[in-house]
Amino acid sequence: MANPLIDVFRIKDLRERIIFTITMLMIFRIGAILPIPGININALKLYFSAMKNTGGAAALTEYIDFFTGGGFSNFSVFMLGIMPYISMSIIMQLLLLVFPKLKKISEQEGGRKKIQKYTRYGTVIVCLLQPYVVTVYARNIPEAITMSYWAYSIIAIVTVTTGTILLMWMGEQITQRGVGNGISLIIFAGIVARMPKAFYQLFQMVKARELNVVFVIIVLAMFVGVIALVVYEQQGQRKIPVNYAKRVIGRKMYGGQNTYIPFKINPSGVIPVIFASSVMAFPLQIFGNLGVKYRWMAELAYWYRPTGFLYLITYSLLIVFFAYFYTQVTLNPIEIAKQIRENGGSIPGIRTENIESHLQRILSRIILPGSLFLAFIAIIPTIIQILFGFPAELSMLMGGTSLLIMVGVDLDTMAQIEGHLKMHHHDGIVRKGKLRSRNL
């Protein structure tokens, strides 16, 4: 009998894409371990183990490690991960809305490539700022730097900036020559790589009776239920019926069909969560690293610590904001209504001139519950951590942002593999149901 997993590797093009993707992700994991030249690894381990349970600083380190796959605490080549590129992408999207000339450039032929080029240049600028902040942080770690401070600063800035640019290039290569969205897969790989250590830590805490076994079972069952809800929500759609009139062109008849516009309950996927996390991580990293030198920055880092009430409120509001913002960028009701009219279509019960307002009203009603659901899922780890005393690393990996990213990226990658199999006349991976790409 045909086995879908065997069929995946029988198709030469798909096999090469998967092998290329795995190779790039392995390079990312190796780079997340390799330290910057001039860093004493033993001193770093002693420092981070000593401050593990000291509150804000330790929580901040774990939070940044979450997105970099452990690269930050290793002071590795990829210690900033792909977050500077995501931060610059957000800035560029905002600039497209603020400056009409920039938006015109993006709509011209080859405009997307120009915008990508500007984003890359901006990423370099962001990268030059963040590594400098990290050098100030490293200066206050006893015996962490094995060379002169200025020599280390120059080497660290060049190395970390190069590492981030390399990750950005690897992500684009995975998107073009591999399977799935490269940037999302890099974040996904960093999250998954930290799971064995987190589960081992949970086992040790249960063994030492620091955690109640009943609470652990309840929390694990809760996470399984949340995963099911996330999958169900990500696959949900609101179908807008559209009727197209018949048109006779020459001797052929076109149109005359009934179709629908699929609006997802959560049209922007996990993008709002990634964007909000990136926006929060950037100032937190600066406040945390410079807090050892400036007291007022240390106070800001404390108030905006990942387990703090102020952080959770700001984080939730940012998720809702980016859900509306990104949906308006990707699903423009004016453009959709224009295409419907140009092709002789109409929505039953809606006047032609009211199509834009009708679509906008539907989108607004869909986005609000979807964004609130995203915000609720994103803050679950902190709630679990506070109520049940779970370790921060495990609660962050098993819920919230990580859960949304892992489920979303997995659905997107599976949908692409499914498409390749169907294109080569093979059965899909899923026999029942249908995978829908989340367009990360």
Side-chain angles (χ1 to χ4, degrees), residues 15 25 249-250 438:
R15 182 175 67 245
L25 295 179
I249 301 176
R438 302 187 346 90

Side-chain angles (χ1 to χ4, degrees), residues 219-350:
V219 171
L220 291 177
M222 187 188 303
F223 282 131
V224 172
V226 170
I227 290 172
L229 284 174
V230 169
V231 173
Y232 185 76
E233 189 264 349
Q234 298 291 359
Q235 299 288 80
Q237 288 184 348
R238 168 73 186 273
K239 298 178 180 180
I240 313 298
V242 180
N243 299 332
Y244 287 97
K246 293 181 179 179
R247 293 179 297 165
V248 179
I249 301 176
R251 295 183 179 181
K252 293 184 178 181
M253 183 177 292
Y254 298 90
Q257 62 181 353
N258 298 328
T259 182
Y260 62 88
I261 303 171
F263 281 169
K264 288 182 178 291
I265 295 176
N266 180 22
S268 52
V270 294
I271 294 296
V273 178
I274 296 176
F275 278 11
S277 302
S278 177
V279 169
M280 293 300 293
F282 183 69
L284 277 176
Q285 185 180 357
I286 294 175
F287 295 155
N289 293 341
L290 294 181
V292 294
K293 192 175 181 180
Y294 303 102
R295 184 176 177 81
W296 65 273
M297 284 195 172
E299 291 179 359
L300 281 174
Y302 173 78
W303 285 108
Y304 274 95
R305 65 193 184 280
T307 55
F309 179 76
L310 193 59
Y311 173 88
L312 295 178
I313 294 295
T314 308
Y315 185 42
S316 301
L317 291 175
L318 280 174
I319 290 174
V320 175
F321 167 74
F322 281 119
Y324 275 92
F325 167 74
Y326 196 78
T327 302
Q328 291 298 324
V329 171
T330 55
L331 289 175
N332 191 337
I334 298 174
E335 293 295 327
I336 296 172
K338 182 181 177 183
Q339 290 178 9
I340 291 173
R341 281 194 290 264
E342 287 178 351
N343 290 284
S346 63
I347 297 176
I350 304 298

Side-chain angles (χ1 to χ4, degrees), residues 1-15 414-431:
M1 293 180 67
N3 189 324
L5 293 178
I6 295 176
D7 289 340
V8 167
F9 291 95
R10 281 178 180 169
I11 302 169
K12 183 181 177 182
D13 177 54
L14 185 56
R15 182 175 67 245
M414 293 277 284
Q416 287 197 24
I417 294 174
E418 181 108 346
H420 279 284
L421 288 172
K422 294 286 180 69
M423 187 173 63
H424 289 84
H425 308 289
H426 287 272
D427 291 332
I429 297 175
V430 181
R431 294 184 183 276

